[in-house]
Amino acid sequence: MMNNLIRIVIAIAIVLVVFIYFDNPVHENKLITGSNNTGQVIPDTSSEVVEVESVFTRPKEGISTLVGGSSQAVIEMLGKPTRTEPSAFGYEWWIYNKSLTTYLLIGVEGEKVTQAFAAGANLEVAPYKIGQNIDEIYRFTIVQSEITFSIDSNTYTFTLTEEDIDNRILVQFDNLFAMLYIDSESRQLEAVRFTDPKTILLHKPYDILYNGIMVETKTPDSLTQAAIDRANERQIFELSNVYRLRNSLRILLSDNELQKIAMNNSEEMARNNVVVNEKFEISKFSDQLKESSIEFSSAAGNTAAFYFDAGEAVNGWMNSKDHREILLGQDFTHTGIGVYGSYYTQNFIERKAVNTTKNIPE
């Protein structure tokens, strides 16, 4: 009799655990961190300077031809941007978002184009193509773990990790770099960032060994940083929908209340330096939802830290299995994004009755 009772109690406990696990409508992923948290910038004290040789001839067509040229050339090719936004690196973003299939960000400093971040599937990104299989890229691209180049009398070497080579390949052209963002699950080219040498040094996307002077950027004041944060929120929102559309998923709408939760969460992570202070417990998304008036049938949240911009943060989520599943969750209808410095939060909910038409976070 006692043995039967124990079996019954155990069976009930198992059923309760399974019910709680599978019935939980809120999924919260762990924080992921980008290269700007672990990357090293090391001065080279040796006197030997490696001679620099360009690996590829620069493309003569496509978006990359704009980099290094004038902003007027951008207008002649693409027209005027939908909007302009500040960055943390001195250049201004020109946003071309009239279609998710031609979504493009152009970096402009003064009247010079410093970079182009191309995510839309229909953009001309020669010698590559968005959606191209990685095996095909390998056939005509030399993938190196170390790339050395010079600016004036200064020499710099980028060192790529195995993870970088897997989903953030760096290719060197004549006075131009291409960062190839790979979707590690589909093994396809997700986006391309064409950039001049100075700008990629400002970003510090990989470990750097340098001989001479390191290129640095000024820290933005608080008002400028707030504007940069809002810009990153809008770009994350748009890039999320670019990748969702490419995967035949519904386009998300923006929810202001969900965004407020995300903004508060990112600020809390930043102020308490949660990457270093691992014992600090940030507010749970599930608790924040209970305290809000948001109606939902399921919800989930992704967080990230120390990615240098929106494109990098979204690529980080896309290449983490758990975060990718949320970003590409087929049932979600709304999202809210909050950025505070280099901390990012994106929340998602499924709402049966879609009652908002607002698309761009403010």
Side-chain angles (χ1 to χ4, degrees):
M1 178 67 73
M2 181 60 70
N3 287 339
N4 288 337
L5 181 60
I6 292 174
R7 291 193 187 97
I8 291 171
V9 170
I10 293 174
I12 292 173
I14 292 173
V15 170
L16 286 173
V17 169
V18 171
F19 175 79
I20 291 171
Y21 179 81
F22 287 102
D23 193 56
N24 183 6
V26 181
H27 184 179
E28 300 178 59
N29 268 331
K30 292 182 179 179
L31 177 78
I32 61 172
T33 57
S35 61
N36 290 64
N37 178 51
T38 57
Q40 300 183 70
V41 180
I42 303 172
D44 182 4
T45 57
S46 66
S47 57
E48 180 182 0
V49 177
V50 178
E51 184 176 347
V52 182
E53 294 184 1
S54 297
V55 179
F56 290 112
T57 301
R58 184 168 177 154
K60 292 182 172 56
E61 58 184 7
I63 297 299
S64 70
T65 61
L66 295 171
V67 179
S70 69
S71 56
Q72 182 60 37
V74 177
I75 294 174
E76 291 173 0
M77 178 187 286
L78 304 170
K80 292 184 178 180
T82 305
R83 67 178 191 270
T84 60
E85 297 177 329
S87 79
F89 302 97
Y91 53 81
E92 183 179 58
W93 281 122
W94 287 18
I95 315 297
Y96 290 86
N97 67 345
K98 291 181 179 179
S99 169
L100 293 178
T101 61
T102 56
Y103 188 80
L104 174 66
L105 307 179
I106 300 289
V108 177
E109 185 171 9
E111 296 183 355
K112 181 182 177 182
V113 178
T114 65
Q115 68 177 306
F117 183 89
N122 293 338
L123 290 171
E124 178 59 66
V125 293
Y128 309 103
K129 183 175 178 58
I130 300 296
Q132 191 171 23
N133 186 275
I134 185 63
D135 292 333
E136 183 179 343
I137 292 174
Y138 283 153
R139 281 197 288 271
F140 67 89
T141 300
I142 299 174
V143 178
Q144 300 173 295
S145 60
E146 289 192 349
I147 292 180
T148 299
F149 63 101
S150 293
I151 298 178
D152 299 326
S153 59
N154 309 297
T155 304
Y156 309 90
T157 298
F158 284 126
T159 301
L160 281 65
T161 65
E162 289 184 9
E163 184 178 359
D164 291 328
I165 293 174
D166 185 57
N167 58 53
R168 287 196 318 157
I169 299 170
L170 183 64
V171 183
Q172 183 181 17
F173 296 91
D174 294 323
N175 202 37
L176 177 77
F177 287 94
M179 291 181 66
L180 308 183
Y181 293 91
I182 307 299
D183 182 331
S184 58
E185 183 165 313
S186 70
R187 305 304 296 158
Q188 294 180 348
L189 184 62
E190 169 189 296
V192 182
R193 187 191 302 263
F194 295 108
T195 174
D196 65 27
K198 176 188 172 184
T199 302
I200 197 171
L201 281 173
L202 289 174
H203 291 163
K204 298 180 177 63
Y206 311 101
D207 288 349
I208 303 174
L209 182 69
Y210 70 96
N211 190 307
I213 299 173
M214 187 60 208
V215 177
E216 299 289 351
T217 188
K218 294 180 180 179
T219 302
D221 60 48
S222 58
L223 288 177
T224 302
Q225 184 61 59
I228 294 167
D229 293 345
R230 304 294 80 76
N232 279 322
E233 290 164 3
R234 283 186 286 268
Q235 292 169 28
I236 288 174
F237 173 74
E238 291 166 344
L239 284 169
S240 297
N241 278 329
V242 168
Y243 300 145
R244 286 178 65 86
L245 177 65
R246 193 177 301 163
N247 285 273
S248 302
L249 298 167
R250 82 172 85 199
I251 300 303
L252 298 173
L253 300 177
S254 178
D255 183 275
N256 287 336
E257 293 303 315
L258 202 59
Q259 182 180 351
K260 289 178 183 177
I261 292 176
M263 292 171 70
N264 290 336
N265 188 73
S266 290
E267 182 174 355
E268 183 181 16
M269 289 192 298
R271 291 191 181 282
N272 292 281
N273 196 9
V274 295
V275 173
V276 175
N277 187 10
E278 296 178 355
K279 293 183 179 180
F280 180 83
E281 293 187 8
I282 62 173
S283 303
K284 291 185 176 181
F285 181 34
S286 54
D287 292 339
Q288 294 171 320
L289 282 171
K290 288 178 182 178
E291 296 171 0
S292 73
S293 58
I294 299 174
E295 295 181 0
F296 67 96
S297 38
S298 64
N302 281 337
T303 53
F306 298 106
Y307 289 91
F308 64 77
D309 67 7
E312 282 277 312
V314 177
N315 176 257
W317 286 328
M318 284 289 287
N319 283 286
S320 166
K321 183 177 182 298
D322 292 340
H323 297 79
R324 175 194 172 90
E325 288 179 357
I326 288 179
L327 182 62
L328 301 182
Q330 64 178 359
D331 295 327
F332 295 129
T333 58
H334 292 72
T335 187
I337 299 111
V339 177
Y340 192 91
S342 56
Y343 285 82
Y344 305 81
T345 301
Q346 183 170 21
N347 294 330
F348 303 80
I349 59 171
E350 175 190 4
R351 179 180 291 150
K352 298 299 184 183
V354 178
N355 55 18
T356 180
T357 59
K358 189 162 188 176
N359 286 333
I360 306 296
E362 295 188 31

